[in-house]
Amino acid sequence: MDSFEKITVIAPGVAYRWNENIAPPSADSFILADFARERVRGRVCDLCGGGGLISLLLLSKGFSGEIVCADADVTALELARKNSLEEGLCFETVRTDVNLWRESLSPESFDSVVCNPPYHEQGGKISAKRSMARSEAGCSLEAVCLAAGGILKNGGRLFVCMKASRTAELIVAMKNSGTEPKRLRFVAHAEGHEPYLVLCEGIKGASPSVSVAPELHMYCPSGRPSEESQRIYYGIGD
């Protein structure tokens, strides 16, 4: 094992390999995979997929379709390929710059896109080591949504998460890409706390109308993880 490589157990019998050059496994990826798992369908693109965490989570939760993990970072994709091979949960990897997505991905070739994009605005506070993975230094929210809209078939679904404070930007970017927001869910640490994350499901070519699901609370007032939080993280170790 590479001296810088780390391993996190993400589900019973399933490990995720990552290193200091890519973003570590984050709560938002687990929450997004859970948000998407019952409605994702067909051929799926894990856009801005990094080391393939969401791809592994979907496959470990029973999804049996084809998944393509697309990312611009070569190091991340090398780990994604290793994660797929080592865990026996097969998915394809493709090097993709969302600004030039037509060079590596075909238009309207996916039924679903799942994306945990860079969520810090360019120039925001973030370590240099992880700036490419978690900030918009490499791609903007608008570019991510345009790429997702471009590779989705008409009627295809986009599942994406973003900082709650950028909800308006996300909705505008999705609409501009031809993907209509249809389902929103906000995530807060506990009841009474301001949401920190928004989950959104959009459908390409759909008519306007959106439903808002009950807020997800990660912790009870006592400070213990909520039942839903425990379900999302069931079997996860350090």
Side-chain angles (χ1 to χ4, degrees):
M1 183 177 71
D2 188 289
S3 60
F4 295 106
E5 189 175 296
K6 306 176 188 296
I7 294 178
T8 299
V9 176
I10 62 170
V14 180
Y16 174 69
R17 294 153 188 81
W18 56 285
N19 62 33
E20 60 182 7
N21 295 314
I22 67 173
S26 60
D28 47 358
S29 290
F30 291 95
I31 295 168
L32 177 61
D34 184 75
F35 179 73
R37 68 185 178 90
E38 291 186 355
R39 300 165 75 98
V40 72
R41 63 184 185 185
R43 187 169 187 250
V44 179
C45 181
D46 179 4
L47 191 62
C48 303
L53 176 58
I54 290 178
S55 299
L56 287 177
L57 286 169
L58 290 175
L59 291 167
S60 69
K61 292 177 183 293
F63 180 73
S64 58
E66 178 186 355
I67 299 181
V68 176
C69 178
D71 199 276
D73 189 276
V74 174
T75 300
L77 290 178
E78 288 176 353
L79 282 169
R81 284 189 286 272
K82 185 172 184 179
N83 282 321
S84 174
L85 290 170
E86 293 287 340
E87 299 308 311
L89 297 171
C90 298
F91 57 87
E92 184 183 348
T93 59
V94 176
R95 187 180 184 189
T96 301
D97 182 334
V98 296
N99 299 290
L100 304 168
W101 62 267
R102 290 177 181 82
E103 294 183 358
S104 54
L105 300 173
S106 300
E108 300 185 350
S109 58
F110 290 93
D111 302 289
S112 305
V113 173
V114 182
C115 184
N116 179 8
Y119 53 78
H120 292 283
E121 295 169 286
Q122 190 169 356
K125 293 181 179 179
I126 189 169
S127 67
K129 186 179 291 181
R130 293 176 181 155
S131 64
M132 287 299 292
R134 302 313 301 154
S135 81
E136 291 186 349
C139 61
S140 67
L141 177 56
E142 182 179 12
V144 168
C145 289
L146 286 173
I151 63 177
L152 276 174
K153 298 175 182 177
N154 195 49
R157 296 172 185 264
L158 168 62
F159 303 89
V160 62
C161 63
M162 181 49 59
K163 290 167 59 179
S165 60
R166 301 186 68 185
T167 301
E169 292 176 67
L170 175 62
I171 289 173
V172 170
M174 289 177 67
K175 282 179 168 286
N176 287 343
S177 74
T179 306
E180 188 67 31
K182 300 297 289 183
R183 182 169 63 114
L184 291 172
R185 191 176 194 191
F186 290 93
V187 183
H189 289 292
E191 186 176 357
H193 289 237
E194 183 176 346
Y196 67 89
L197 188 73
V198 63
L199 305 164
C200 186
E201 176 186 354
I203 299 179
K204 183 175 179 179
S207 58
S209 74
V210 63
S211 64
V212 181
E215 194 170 85
L216 169 59
H217 300 140
M218 300 306 292
Y219 295 92
C220 300
S222 65
R224 294 176 59 84
S226 66
E227 288 187 11
E228 193 164 11
S229 175
Q230 291 183 67
R231 176 183 59 75
I232 291 170
Y233 286 101
Y234 176 75
I236 295 171
D238 292 327

